Amino acid sequence: MSTIGVVVLCLLAIVIIIIALYFSYNNKEISLRKESEAQRSKIETVRDRMFQIIREQANVSTEYREAFNEIYPKIIEGRYKDGGQLMKWIQEANPTFDTSLYQSVSNSIEVQRTAFTSTQNRMLDIINQRATLIEQMPSCWFIKNKSIIEYTPITTSASKAVMASGVDDYTFSFK
């Protein structure tokens, strides 16, 4: 093979590699951008589900408490009315308020908040991966869409204030 043939073959190989890199990096960028769009919907869905579960469980607990508050005084009143001295020797167990529903609500809050945080963390990971791909060489030479994925994590106003001030002097209060 002549030297011209070798040069042409090398140039052809370089062009093929450049085209392959172009498609590979652009496809990776498109994949991450599409994943971020899907993740945004997941965050919304998980947040909605979180509040539905907590609201429903809290409603059950509230209804149980209200029913107990309504029934308990009547039960006690009927047992200890005037008279009935003959049966004082019978020991009855008074109904007790079951707090396991509140524990269930508490557990659900913790589980659902953790799931919500995980979906937000995944979104931030996707954005970071894409930003790294766009900024690093040689991928930055080939990627055509370098627009930023806009996303603001959902946090509390207290967390935003701490991040803005750089001071975290929060004390816990159980009021």
Side-chain angles (χ1 to χ4, degrees), residues 7-43:
V7 169
V8 169
L9 193 58
C10 286
L11 287 175
L12 185 61
I14 291 171
V15 168
I16 289 172
I17 290 171
I18 289 173
I19 291 171
L21 288 172
Y22 174 82
F23 284 115
S24 174
Y25 287 129
N26 275 291
N27 287 343
K28 179 67 175 169
E29 184 277 329
I30 290 168
S31 174
L32 288 169
R33 192 167 10 98
K34 293 295 183 187
E35 187 177 357
S36 75
E37 291 168 11
Q39 191 66 25
R40 190 180 306 272
S41 295
K42 285 180 188 176
I43 290 168

Side-chain angles (χ1 to χ4, degrees), residues 28-41 43 118-136 143 145-154:
K28 179 67 175 169
E29 184 277 329
I30 290 168
S31 174
L32 288 169
R33 192 167 10 98
K34 293 295 183 187
E35 187 177 357
S36 75
E37 291 168 11
Q39 191 66 25
R40 190 180 306 272
S41 295
I43 290 168
S118 294
T119 57
Q120 289 204 99
N121 286 341
R122 179 63 190 133
M123 178 66 153
L124 297 173
D125 289 344
I126 293 165
I127 291 170
N128 184 46
Q129 287 176 21
R130 185 174 174 274
T132 301
L133 184 71
I134 289 170
E135 293 174 17
Q136 284 184 338
I143 295 174
N145 184 352
K146 296 184 179 184
S147 62
I148 295 173
I149 297 174
E150 296 291 333
Y151 179 71
T152 303
I154 301 166

Side-chain angles (χ1 to χ4, degrees), residues 82-98:
D82 293 338
Q85 297 295 326
L86 181 63
M87 302 305 250
K88 284 260 184 188
W89 57 276
I90 297 176
Q91 297 292 319
E92 294 182 8
N94 290 326
T96 58
F97 184 75
D98 183 11

